[in-house]
Amino acid sequence: MNYLIRGATFPDGTVRDFAIRDGLIAEGTDGEVVDASGLRVLPGLVDIHTHLRQPGREDAETIETGSRAAALGGYTAVCAMANTDPVADAAGIVEQVWRLGREVGLVDVQPVGAVTLGLKGERLAELGAMAESAAQVRVFSDDGHCVHDAAVMRRALEYVKAFDGVIAQHAEDPKLTVGAQMNEGEQSARLGLAGWPAVAEEAIIARDALLAAHVGSRLHVCHVSTAGSVEVLRWAKSRGVRVTAEVTPHHLLLTDELAATYDPVYKVNPPLRTTEDVTALREALADGTIDAVATDHAPHAREDKECEWAAARPGMLGLETALPIVVKTMVETGLLDWAGVAERLSHAPARIANLESRHGRPLTPGEPANLTLVDPSQRWTVTPDGLASISRNTPYAGLELPGAIVATFLRGRATVLDGKAQA
Ligand SMILES: [Zn+2]
């Protein structure tokens, strides 16, 4: 199917028509007409941090339902985290995830490989075999767990240099967060819940930045959540360390005051922090200290979320609300323009994940037609039952958000049209 997209507003503000032909962006005037007047066109979004839960927890999400949620959120590629059951620590498992993603065909599912066997933090996983597999893994992460042993982290950083891989660290010193339930601070003291101190994140980022500099390798920091982490990143980048970082939509909007509700939907790791942290994260995303927005989409089955706070699993849904939250916190506040949105949600994450030959490309003729159309003026209210995920753990139920995804195209095929998934 060929399309003629009429009157779309590009990230630089120009209004143009363009065609989609044979999977590519093209010049021309033929094809099925899509009226894009008033709509923003963005390069297809790229999520470098998604939990798809398959294999192992298909009651919470599958590659199919997660792919659909991603397409509806404007994504054309997602990196599927390795903390599945079994763990994605060998070539066979990453190939299985990659193949299932291709069969569904709604987004490119790029598997992330585990850094250590079984996420145990001890022995390196089969990094080379995963890199050479059909899935061509380039991002490795024990996400959910921190690679805490400095010698293991050093070896992993050294190993991935050979194929320009990157270690994506979940920065949390586990010795400082034993039993932690929420951010350590005034709120945790008031509520009597064990705290997760900012220093547990900041100390690991500082150590890893030094290690990355020492071995000349590439480090990516997952879900940065504190003002102090921003300062450490600024320092590392000023010294030329090859470090990139991501922030989640929820850390750009929500604060630890929500823990007072004792509603486990607000339990997440790293935890929601303070208003001062939120302000620092927004500024860091605006000035590029934080390179990318990543959802940390973490679906959980009802029994893992609809229980006592202490027993609940940490994590929130994110794929279908990420861009609207960024519009609300960054665009409507004047911190980021639409070119900045394209950079932080598409170009930068594609570069970090080594997907830049296919995703996060400029919107010019001859490039693969991976793109999304957004209505920035449409406001909609989040209803958990209206989401494509199997799980319902969105912290935004009842919240009105700006910016609706109208259409998404993956290599020229419409995965979403008129706001509805096409498969
Ligand atoms: Zn994590």
Side-chain angles (χ1 to χ4, degrees):
M1 177 84 82
N2 296 329
Y3 295 93
L4 175 63
I5 315 291
R6 278 240 163 93
T9 307
F10 279 65
D12 65 3
T14 59
V15 177
R16 279 178 271 161
D17 299 347
F18 64 97
I20 294 175
R21 199 164 51 233
D22 302 328
L24 304 176
I25 296 172
E27 320 239 22
T29 53
D30 56 333
E32 170 139 339
V33 173
V34 176
D35 178 11
S37 50
L39 305 187
R40 289 271 169 181
V41 59
L42 292 172
L45 309 185
V46 176
D47 190 17
I48 41 178
H49 194 144
T50 313
H51 297 276
L52 293 177
R53 303 299 187 215
Q54 189 177 3
R57 285 308 300 261
E58 289 84 351
D59 57 331
E61 196 79 288
T62 65
I63 288 169
E64 182 182 347
T65 58
S67 292
R68 193 170 295 122
L72 286 164
Y75 288 89
T76 53
V78 300
C79 296
M81 276 297 171
N83 62 339
T84 47
D85 184 14
V87 171
D89 58 5
I93 300 160
V94 292
E95 284 189 343
Q96 181 196 351
V97 170
W98 177 75
R99 220 167 263 129
L100 283 167
R102 283 188 28 137
E103 280 167 29
V104 173
L106 288 167
V107 290
D108 284 349
V109 174
Q110 180 59 43
V112 173
V115 178
T116 65
L117 286 172
L119 308 176
K120 291 197 168 74
E122 292 158 6
R123 289 195 296 137
L124 287 189
E126 297 174 15
L127 308 183
M130 290 190 274
E132 284 165 21
S133 75
Q136 294 184 43
V137 176
R138 290 294 179 274
V139 182
F140 297 88
S141 181
D142 274 2
D143 183 58
H145 302 270
C146 182
V147 181
H148 184 227
D149 185 314
V152 174
M153 186 64 180
R154 175 192 178 157
R155 276 204 300 283
L157 285 164
E158 278 172 343
Y159 200 105
V160 300
K161 267 174 81 174
F163 41 83
D164 195 27
V166 61
I167 304 295
Q169 176 72 293
H170 170 117
E172 172 186 358
D173 187 324
K175 303 277 186 191
L176 292 172
T177 60
V178 175
Q181 294 294 326
M182 64 174 294
N183 178 47
E184 181 178 301
E186 264 175 54
Q187 293 293 329
S188 65
R190 204 165 62 78
L191 299 173
L193 291 171
W196 197 130
V199 65
E201 176 173 302
E202 294 153 8
I204 294 292
I205 298 175
R207 181 202 75 175
D208 287 353
L210 292 167
L211 280 174
H214 183 62
V215 305
S217 192
R218 209 150 67 83
L219 169 71
H220 177 71
V221 183
C222 296
H223 42 51
V224 170
S225 71
T226 79
S229 295
V230 168
E231 286 191 46
V232 174
L233 285 165
R234 237 176 232 135
W235 164 82
K237 287 190 167 191
S238 75
R239 287 171 53 113
V241 179
R242 297 172 72 200
V243 58
T244 54
E246 69 188 38
V247 63
T248 70
H250 47 271
H251 288 112
L252 291 172
L253 179 65
L254 308 177
T255 68
D256 63 352
E257 290 181 21
L258 289 162
T261 64
Y262 288 105
D263 183 341
V265 81
Y266 300 117
K267 184 172 172 180
V268 65
N269 189 15
L272 301 176
R273 304 286 188 185
T274 67
T275 305
E276 293 71 35
D277 294 308
V278 167
T279 302
L281 294 169
R282 290 183 184 186
E283 284 168 2
L285 184 64
D287 73 19
T289 304
I290 293 176
D291 303 79
V293 172
T295 67
D296 196 4
H297 178 79
H300 285 298
R302 269 180 206 278
E303 70 268 23
D304 292 326
K305 268 314 212 187
E306 294 179 10
C307 54
E308 270 180 64
W309 180 281
R313 299 236 182 150
M316 300 171 167
L317 299 183
L319 286 168
E320 293 173 76
T321 47
L323 181 65
I325 299 287
V326 170
V327 173
K328 179 183 173 75
T329 58
M330 301 298 295
V331 179
E332 293 194 338
T333 54
L335 286 166
L336 211 58
D337 59 15
W338 285 89
V341 172
E343 170 63 22
R344 302 285 185 263
L345 277 82
S346 180
H347 302 303
R351 283 196 304 273
I352 293 165
N354 277 18
L355 296 171
E356 75 269 38
S357 64
R358 291 175 285 141
H359 291 277
R361 307 288 308 166
L363 294 165
T364 50
E367 295 288 353
N370 296 324
L371 54 96
T372 188
L373 298 172
V374 185
D375 184 349
S377 67
Q378 194 181 325
R379 304 186 79 86
W380 59 288
T381 301
V382 181
T383 53
D385 287 342
L387 300 174
S389 272
I390 293 175
S391 295
R392 291 287 170 262
N393 54 309
T394 174
Y396 310 119
L399 188 67
E400 190 188 83
L401 292 176
I405 307 297
V406 175
T408 307
F409 295 87
L410 175 65
R411 283 183 288 280
R413 189 169 80 79
T415 55
V416 174
L417 269 184
D418 297 323
K420 293 187 180 59
Q422 297 300 292

PDB file of all heavy atoms in Angstrom, residues 89-122:
ATOM      1  N   ASP A  89      20.118 -14.788  28.307  1.00  0.00           N
ATOM      2  CA  ASP A  89      21.567 -14.719  28.512  1.00  0.00           C
ATOM      3  C   ASP A  89      22.336 -15.607  27.523  1.00  0.00           C
ATOM      4  O   ASP A  89      23.528 -15.845  27.692  1.00  0.00           O
ATOM      5  CB  ASP A  89      21.927 -15.085  29.961  1.00  0.00           C
ATOM      6  CG  ASP A  89      21.452 -16.466  30.371  1.00  0.00           C
ATOM      7  OD1 ASP A  89      20.923 -17.206  29.500  1.00  0.00           O
ATOM      8  OD2 ASP A  89      21.579 -16.813  31.560  1.00  0.00           O
ATOM      9  N   ALA A  90      21.633 -16.107  26.503  1.00  0.00           N
ATOM     10  CA  ALA A  90      22.285 -16.973  25.508  1.00  0.00           C
ATOM     11  C   ALA A  90      21.651 -16.730  24.145  1.00  0.00           C
ATOM     12  O   ALA A  90      20.538 -16.205  24.043  1.00  0.00           O
ATOM     13  CB  ALA A  90      22.125 -18.442  25.915  1.00  0.00           C
ATOM     14  N   ALA A  91      22.378 -17.153  23.098  1.00  0.00           N
ATOM     15  CA  ALA A  91      21.951 -16.863  21.727  1.00  0.00           C
ATOM     16  C   ALA A  91      20.561 -17.420  21.426  1.00  0.00           C
ATOM     17  O   ALA A  91      19.744 -16.756  20.773  1.00  0.00           O
ATOM     18  CB  ALA A  91      22.974 -17.423  20.744  1.00  0.00           C
ATOM     19  N   GLY A  92      20.268 -18.624  21.918  1.00  0.00           N
ATOM     20  CA  GLY A  92      18.992 -19.255  21.596  1.00  0.00           C
ATOM     21  C   GLY A  92      17.793 -18.434  22.054  1.00  0.00           C
ATOM     22  O   GLY A  92      16.788 -18.327  21.346  1.00  0.00           O
ATOM     23  N   ILE A  93      17.916 -17.827  23.229  1.00  0.00           N
ATOM     24  CA  ILE A  93      16.765 -17.097  23.778  1.00  0.00           C
ATOM     25  C   ILE A  93      16.588 -15.751  23.078  1.00  0.00           C
ATOM     26  O   ILE A  93      15.468 -15.368  22.743  1.00  0.00           O
ATOM     27  CB  ILE A  93      16.917 -16.919  25.300  1.00  0.00           C
ATOM     28  CG1 ILE A  93      17.007 -18.303  25.947  1.00  0.00           C
ATOM     29  CG2 ILE A  93      15.731 -16.146  25.878  1.00  0.00           C
ATOM     30  CD1 ILE A  93      17.603 -18.302  27.310  1.00  0.00           C
ATOM     31  N   VAL A  94      17.689 -15.024  22.840  1.00  0.00           N
ATOM     32  CA  VAL A  94      17.527 -13.732  22.153  1.00  0.00           C
ATOM     33  C   VAL A  94      17.013 -13.954  20.723  1.00  0.00           C
ATOM     34  O   VAL A  94      16.221 -13.161  20.219  1.00  0.00           O
ATOM     35  CB  VAL A  94      18.818 -12.878  22.149  1.00  0.00           C
ATOM     36  CG1 VAL A  94      19.140 -12.411  23.566  1.00  0.00           C
ATOM     37  CG2 VAL A  94      19.988 -13.577  21.513  1.00  0.00           C
ATOM     38  N   GLU A  95      17.428 -15.062  20.103  1.00  0.00           N
ATOM     39  CA  GLU A  95      16.912 -15.341  18.751  1.00  0.00           C
ATOM     40  C   GLU A  95      15.423 -15.651  18.787  1.00  0.00           C
ATOM     41  O   GLU A  95      14.669 -15.258  17.889  1.00  0.00           O
ATOM     42  CB  GLU A  95      17.684 -16.500  18.113  1.00  0.00           C
ATOM     43  CG  GLU A  95      19.055 -16.072  17.630  1.00  0.00           C
ATOM     44  CD  GLU A  95      19.757 -17.142  16.801  1.00  0.00           C
ATOM     45  OE1 GLU A  95      19.340 -18.318  16.857  1.00  0.00           O
ATOM     46  OE2 GLU A  95      20.736 -16.789  16.116  1.00  0.00           O
ATOM     47  N   GLN A  96      14.979 -16.343  19.829  1.00  0.00           N
ATOM     48  CA  GLN A  96      13.557 -16.658  19.968  1.00  0.00           C
ATOM     49  C   GLN A  96      12.740 -15.367  20.102  1.00  0.00           C
ATOM     50  O   GLN A  96      11.708 -15.183  19.429  1.00  0.00           O
ATOM     51  CB  GLN A  96      13.353 -17.548  21.208  1.00  0.00           C
ATOM     52  CG  GLN A  96      11.909 -17.968  21.435  1.00  0.00           C
ATOM     53  CD  GLN A  96      11.687 -18.512  22.850  1.00  0.00           C
ATOM     54  OE1 GLN A  96      12.627 -18.741  23.614  1.00  0.00           O
ATOM     55  NE2 GLN A  96      10.432 -18.704  23.201  1.00  0.00           N
ATOM     56  N   VAL A  97      13.190 -14.441  20.945  1.00  0.00           N
ATOM     57  CA  VAL A  97      12.480 -13.167  21.139  1.00  0.00           C
ATOM     58  C   VAL A  97      12.473 -12.373  19.834  1.00  0.00           C
ATOM     59  O   VAL A  97      11.441 -11.830  19.420  1.00  0.00           O
ATOM     60  CB  VAL A  97      13.148 -12.355  22.281  1.00  0.00           C
ATOM     61  CG1 VAL A  97      12.607 -10.931  22.340  1.00  0.00           C
ATOM     62  CG2 VAL A  97      12.953 -13.064  23.620  1.00  0.00           C
ATOM     63  N   TRP A  98      13.625 -12.318  19.189  1.00  0.00           N
ATOM     64  CA  TRP A  98      13.752 -11.574  17.931  1.00  0.00           C
ATOM     65  C   TRP A  98      12.801 -12.134  16.872  1.00  0.00           C
ATOM     66  O   TRP A  98      12.103 -11.397  16.176  1.00  0.00           O
ATOM     67  CB  TRP A  98      15.206 -11.677  17.475  1.00  0.00           C
ATOM     68  CG  TRP A  98      15.512 -11.040  16.160  1.00  0.00           C
ATOM     69  CD1 TRP A  98      15.626  -9.699  15.901  1.00  0.00           C
ATOM     70  CD2 TRP A  98      15.744 -11.718  14.919  1.00  0.00           C
ATOM     71  NE1 TRP A  98      15.924  -9.510  14.574  1.00  0.00           N
ATOM     72  CE2 TRP A  98      16.003 -10.733  13.947  1.00  0.00           C
ATOM     73  CE3 TRP A  98      15.775 -13.062  14.536  1.00  0.00           C
ATOM     74  CZ2 TRP A  98      16.277 -11.047  12.618  1.00  0.00           C
ATOM     75  CZ3 TRP A  98      16.047 -13.379  13.216  1.00  0.00           C
ATOM     76  CH2 TRP A  98      16.300 -12.372  12.268  1.00  0.00           C
ATOM     77  N   ARG A  99      12.742 -13.487  16.776  1.00  0.00           N
ATOM     78  CA  ARG A  99      11.895 -14.131  15.783  1.00  0.00           C
ATOM     79  C   ARG A  99      10.408 -13.900  16.062  1.00  0.00           C
ATOM     80  O   ARG A  99       9.632 -13.604  15.155  1.00  0.00           O
ATOM     81  CB  ARG A  99      12.203 -15.639  15.762  1.00  0.00           C
ATOM     82  CG  ARG A  99      12.219 -16.205  14.371  1.00  0.00           C
ATOM     83  CD  ARG A  99      12.824 -17.597  14.320  1.00  0.00           C
ATOM     84  NE  ARG A  99      14.215 -17.579  13.929  1.00  0.00           N
ATOM     85  CZ  ARG A  99      15.198 -18.185  14.580  1.00  0.00           C
ATOM     86  NH1 ARG A  99      14.949 -18.840  15.701  1.00  0.00           N
ATOM     87  NH2 ARG A  99      16.426 -18.117  14.138  1.00  0.00           N
ATOM     88  N   LEU A 100      10.017 -14.007  17.340  1.00  0.00           N
ATOM     89  CA  LEU A 100       8.615 -13.744  17.698  1.00  0.00           C
ATOM     90  C   LEU A 100       8.238 -12.302  17.351  1.00  0.00           C
ATOM     91  O   LEU A 100       7.136 -12.031  16.875  1.00  0.00           O
ATOM     92  CB  LEU A 100       8.390 -14.005  19.197  1.00  0.00           C
ATOM     93  CG  LEU A 100       8.291 -15.471  19.609  1.00  0.00           C
ATOM     94  CD1 LEU A 100       8.394 -15.616  21.130  1.00  0.00           C
ATOM     95  CD2 LEU A 100       6.981 -16.081  19.104  1.00  0.00           C
ATOM     96  N   GLY A 101       9.146 -11.373  17.591  1.00  0.00           N
ATOM     97  CA  GLY A 101       8.898  -9.972  17.247  1.00  0.00           C
ATOM     98  C   GLY A 101       8.674  -9.794  15.759  1.00  0.00           C
ATOM     99  O   GLY A 101       7.790  -9.055  15.329  1.00  0.00           O
ATOM    100  N   ARG A 102       9.467 -10.497  14.954  1.00  0.00           N
ATOM    101  CA  ARG A 102       9.315 -10.399  13.489  1.00  0.00           C
ATOM    102  C   ARG A 102       8.004 -10.991  13.038  1.00  0.00           C
ATOM    103  O   ARG A 102       7.359 -10.485  12.122  1.00  0.00           O
ATOM    104  CB  ARG A 102      10.474 -11.122  12.794  1.00  0.00           C
ATOM    105  CG  ARG A 102      11.695 -10.261  12.853  1.00  0.00           C
ATOM    106  CD  ARG A 102      12.868 -10.727  12.059  1.00  0.00           C
ATOM    107  NE  ARG A 102      12.635 -11.533  10.885  1.00  0.00           N
ATOM    108  CZ  ARG A 102      13.267 -11.358   9.739  1.00  0.00           C
ATOM    109  NH1 ARG A 102      14.113 -10.353   9.616  1.00  0.00           N
ATOM    110  NH2 ARG A 102      13.082 -12.186   8.744  1.00  0.00           N
ATOM    111  N   GLU A 103       7.599 -12.104  13.672  1.00  0.00           N
ATOM    112  CA  GLU A 103       6.324 -12.727  13.299  1.00  0.00           C
ATOM    113  C   GLU A 103       5.153 -11.788  13.572  1.00  0.00           C
ATOM    114  O   GLU A 103       4.232 -11.692  12.775  1.00  0.00           O
ATOM    115  CB  GLU A 103       6.135 -14.044  14.073  1.00  0.00           C
ATOM    116  CG  GLU A 103       6.911 -15.197  13.467  1.00  0.00           C
ATOM    117  CD  GLU A 103       6.984 -16.402  14.396  1.00  0.00           C
ATOM    118  OE1 GLU A 103       6.040 -16.591  15.203  1.00  0.00           O
ATOM    119  OE2 GLU A 103       7.986 -17.124  14.333  1.00  0.00           O
ATOM    120  N   VAL A 104       5.183 -11.100  14.713  1.00  0.00           N
ATOM    121  CA  VAL A 104       4.110 -10.145  15.042  1.00  0.00           C
ATOM    122  C   VAL A 104       4.163  -8.965  14.066  1.00  0.00           C
ATOM    123  O   VAL A 104       3.145  -8.544  13.515  1.00  0.00           O
ATOM    124  CB  VAL A 104       4.230  -9.675  16.502  1.00  0.00           C
ATOM    125  CG1 VAL A 104       3.235  -8.564  16.792  1.00  0.00           C
ATOM    126  CG2 VAL A 104       4.026 -10.850  17.463  1.00  0.00           C
ATOM    127  N   GLY A 105       5.358  -8.416  13.867  1.00  0.00           N
ATOM    128  CA  GLY A 105       5.566  -7.438  12.806  1.00  0.00           C
ATOM    129  C   GLY A 105       5.016  -6.043  13.050  1.00  0.00           C
ATOM    130  O   GLY A 105       4.912  -5.252  12.118  1.00  0.00           O
ATOM    131  N   LEU A 106       4.661  -5.705  14.274  1.00  0.00           N
ATOM    132  CA  LEU A 106       4.109  -4.366  14.550  1.00  0.00           C
ATOM    133  C   LEU A 106       5.190  -3.349  14.898  1.00  0.00           C
ATOM    134  O   LEU A 106       5.012  -2.153  14.689  1.00  0.00           O
ATOM    135  CB  LEU A 106       3.084  -4.444  15.687  1.00  0.00           C
ATOM    136  CG  LEU A 106       1.751  -5.104  15.314  1.00  0.00           C
ATOM    137  CD1 LEU A 106       0.932  -5.415  16.560  1.00  0.00           C
ATOM    138  CD2 LEU A 106       0.959  -4.207  14.370  1.00  0.00           C
ATOM    139  N   VAL A 107       6.272  -3.809  15.488  1.00  0.00           N
ATOM    140  CA  VAL A 107       7.468  -2.989  15.735  1.00  0.00           C
ATOM    141  C   VAL A 107       8.670  -3.902  15.579  1.00  0.00           C
ATOM    142  O   VAL A 107       8.529  -5.129  15.632  1.00  0.00           O
ATOM    143  CB  VAL A 107       7.525  -2.388  17.169  1.00  0.00           C
ATOM    144  CG1 VAL A 107       6.482  -1.322  17.383  1.00  0.00           C
ATOM    145  CG2 VAL A 107       7.410  -3.467  18.225  1.00  0.00           C
ATOM    146  N   ASP A 108       9.847  -3.319  15.398  1.00  0.00           N
ATOM    147  CA  ASP A 108      11.057  -4.129  15.438  1.00  0.00           C
ATOM    148  C   ASP A 108      11.395  -4.393  16.904  1.00  0.00           C
ATOM    149  O   ASP A 108      11.605  -3.449  17.674  1.00  0.00           O
ATOM    150  CB  ASP A 108      12.213  -3.405  14.738  1.00  0.00           C
ATOM    151  CG  ASP A 108      12.072  -3.462  13.219  1.00  0.00           C
ATOM    152  OD1 ASP A 108      11.208  -4.226  12.730  1.00  0.00           O
ATOM    153  OD2 ASP A 108      12.815  -2.745  12.529  1.00  0.00           O
ATOM    154  N   VAL A 109      11.407  -5.656  17.285  1.00  0.00           N
ATOM    155  CA  VAL A 109      11.754  -6.029  18.657  1.00  0.00           C
ATOM    156  C   VAL A 109      13.234  -6.395  18.665  1.00  0.00           C
ATOM    157  O   VAL A 109      13.637  -7.402  18.069  1.00  0.00           O
ATOM    158  CB  VAL A 109      10.895  -7.206  19.159  1.00  0.00           C
ATOM    159  CG1 VAL A 109      11.372  -7.679  20.525  1.00  0.00           C
ATOM    160  CG2 VAL A 109       9.420  -6.797  19.210  1.00  0.00           C
ATOM    161  N   GLN A 110      14.037  -5.567  19.313  1.00  0.00           N
ATOM    162  CA  GLN A 110      15.474  -5.795  19.378  1.00  0.00           C
ATOM    163  C   GLN A 110      15.815  -6.321  20.770  1.00  0.00           C
ATOM    164  O   GLN A 110      15.711  -5.578  21.748  1.00  0.00           O
ATOM    165  CB  GLN A 110      16.206  -4.480  19.095  1.00  0.00           C
ATOM    166  CG  GLN A 110      17.715  -4.608  19.129  1.00  0.00           C
ATOM    167  CD  GLN A 110      18.246  -5.625  18.127  1.00  0.00           C
ATOM    168  OE1 GLN A 110      17.802  -5.670  16.988  1.00  0.00           O
ATOM    169  NE2 GLN A 110      19.179  -6.457  18.557  1.00  0.00           N
ATOM    170  N   PRO A 111      16.194  -7.580  20.891  1.00  0.00           N
ATOM    171  CA  PRO A 111      16.452  -8.121  22.224  1.00  0.00           C
ATOM    172  C   PRO A 111      17.693  -7.490  22.869  1.00  0.00           C
ATOM    173  O   PRO A 111      18.694  -7.225  22.196  1.00  0.00           O
ATOM    174  CB  PRO A 111      16.703  -9.611  21.986  1.00  0.00           C
ATOM    175  CG  PRO A 111      16.237  -9.880  20.593  1.00  0.00           C
ATOM    176  CD  PRO A 111      16.366  -8.588  19.844  1.00  0.00           C
ATOM    177  N   VAL A 112      17.594  -7.268  24.175  1.00  0.00           N
ATOM    178  CA  VAL A 112      18.735  -6.894  25.007  1.00  0.00           C
ATOM    179  C   VAL A 112      19.248  -8.185  25.619  1.00  0.00           C
ATOM    180  O   VAL A 112      18.452  -9.020  26.055  1.00  0.00           O
ATOM    181  CB  VAL A 112      18.302  -5.912  26.116  1.00  0.00           C
ATOM    182  CG1 VAL A 112      19.432  -5.644  27.097  1.00  0.00           C
ATOM    183  CG2 VAL A 112      17.786  -4.618  25.496  1.00  0.00           C
ATOM    184  N   GLY A 113      20.557  -8.376  25.642  1.00  0.00           N
ATOM    185  CA  GLY A 113      21.119  -9.564  26.267  1.00  0.00           C
ATOM    186  C   GLY A 113      21.483  -9.291  27.723  1.00  0.00           C
ATOM    187  O   GLY A 113      21.802  -8.161  28.084  1.00  0.00           O
ATOM    188  N   ALA A 114      21.418 -10.333  28.544  1.00  0.00           N
ATOM    189  CA  ALA A 114      21.873 -10.180  29.933  1.00  0.00           C
ATOM    190  C   ALA A 114      23.386  -9.975  29.954  1.00  0.00           C
ATOM    191  O   ALA A 114      24.096 -10.467  29.080  1.00  0.00           O
ATOM    192  CB  ALA A 114      21.493 -11.414  30.740  1.00  0.00           C
ATOM    193  N   VAL A 115      23.881  -9.259  30.954  1.00  0.00           N
ATOM    194  CA  VAL A 115      25.331  -9.102  31.138  1.00  0.00           C
ATOM    195  C   VAL A 115      25.896 -10.348  31.794  1.00  0.00           C
ATOM    196  O   VAL A 115      26.952 -10.842  31.398  1.00  0.00           O
ATOM    197  CB  VAL A 115      25.650  -7.861  32.004  1.00  0.00           C
ATOM    198  CG1 VAL A 115      27.159  -7.737  32.239  1.00  0.00           C
ATOM    199  CG2 VAL A 115      25.094  -6.596  31.353  1.00  0.00           C
ATOM    200  N   THR A 116      25.176 -10.867  32.796  1.00  0.00           N
ATOM    201  CA  THR A 116      25.689 -12.033  33.523  1.00  0.00           C
ATOM    202  C   THR A 116      24.686 -13.187  33.447  1.00  0.00           C
ATOM    203  O   THR A 116      23.481 -12.972  33.277  1.00  0.00           O
ATOM    204  CB  THR A 116      25.967 -11.702  35.009  1.00  0.00           C
ATOM    205  OG1 THR A 116      24.733 -11.381  35.662  1.00  0.00           O
ATOM    206  CG2 THR A 116      26.943 -10.540  35.144  1.00  0.00           C
ATOM    207  N   LEU A 117      25.201 -14.395  33.581  1.00  0.00           N
ATOM    208  CA  LEU A 117      24.368 -15.598  33.514  1.00  0.00           C
ATOM    209  C   LEU A 117      23.289 -15.538  34.586  1.00  0.00           C
ATOM    210  O   LEU A 117      23.582 -15.340  35.768  1.00  0.00           O
ATOM    211  CB  LEU A 117      25.229 -16.846  33.706  1.00  0.00           C
ATOM    212  CG  LEU A 117      26.106 -17.238  32.511  1.00  0.00           C
ATOM    213  CD1 LEU A 117      27.052 -18.376  32.900  1.00  0.00           C
ATOM    214  CD2 LEU A 117      25.256 -17.632  31.309  1.00  0.00           C
ATOM    215  N   GLY A 118      22.043 -15.675  34.156  1.00  0.00           N
ATOM    216  CA  GLY A 118      20.926 -15.698  35.092  1.00  0.00           C
ATOM    217  C   GLY A 118      20.737 -14.402  35.849  1.00  0.00           C
ATOM    218  O   GLY A 118      20.042 -14.390  36.870  1.00  0.00           O
ATOM    219  N   LEU A 119      21.323 -13.325  35.401  1.00  0.00           N
ATOM    220  CA  LEU A 119      21.285 -12.010  36.087  1.00  0.00           C
ATOM    221  C   LEU A 119      21.857 -12.117  37.499  1.00  0.00           C
ATOM    222  O   LEU A 119      21.491 -11.344  38.373  1.00  0.00           O
ATOM    223  CB  LEU A 119      19.852 -11.451  36.158  1.00  0.00           C
ATOM    224  CG  LEU A 119      19.028 -11.375  34.880  1.00  0.00           C
ATOM    225  CD1 LEU A 119      17.609 -10.890  35.185  1.00  0.00           C
ATOM    226  CD2 LEU A 119      19.670 -10.454  33.849  1.00  0.00           C
ATOM    227  N   LYS A 120      22.749 -13.058  37.697  1.00  0.00           N
ATOM    228  CA  LYS A 120      23.259 -13.288  39.050  1.00  0.00           C
ATOM    229  C   LYS A 120      24.419 -12.375  39.409  1.00  0.00           C
ATOM    230  O   LYS A 120      24.865 -12.332  40.559  1.00  0.00           O
ATOM    231  CB  LYS A 120      23.668 -14.757  39.200  1.00  0.00           C
ATOM    232  CG  LYS A 120      22.482 -15.708  39.195  1.00  0.00           C
ATOM    233  CD  LYS A 120      22.889 -17.071  39.762  1.00  0.00           C
ATOM    234  CE  LYS A 120      21.681 -17.954  40.036  1.00  0.00           C
ATOM    235  NZ  LYS A 120      21.093 -18.498  38.797  1.00  0.00           N
ATOM    236  N   GLY A 121      24.975 -11.689  38.413  1.00  0.00           N
ATOM    237  CA  GLY A 121      26.037 -10.730  38.717  1.00  0.00           C
ATOM    238  C   GLY A 121      27.405 -11.352  38.896  1.00  0.00           C
ATOM    239  O   GLY A 121      28.336 -10.689  39.350  1.00  0.00           O
ATOM    240  N   GLU A 122      27.549 -12.639  38.523  1.00  0.00           N
ATOM    241  CA  GLU A 122      28.805 -13.341  38.803  1.00  0.00           C
ATOM    242  C   GLU A 122      29.616 -13.634  37.532  1.00  0.00           C
ATOM    243  O   GLU A 122      30.694 -13.091  37.339  1.00  0.00           O
ATOM    244  CB  GLU A 122      28.511 -14.640  39.566  1.00  0.00           C
ATOM    245  CG  GLU A 122      27.988 -14.361  40.976  1.00  0.00           C
ATOM    246  CD  GLU A 122      27.214 -15.526  41.561  1.00  0.00           C
ATOM    247  OE1 GLU A 122      27.170 -16.608  40.937  1.00  0.00           O
ATOM    248  OE2 GLU A 122      26.636 -15.338  42.657  1.00  0.00           O
TER     249      GLU A 122
END
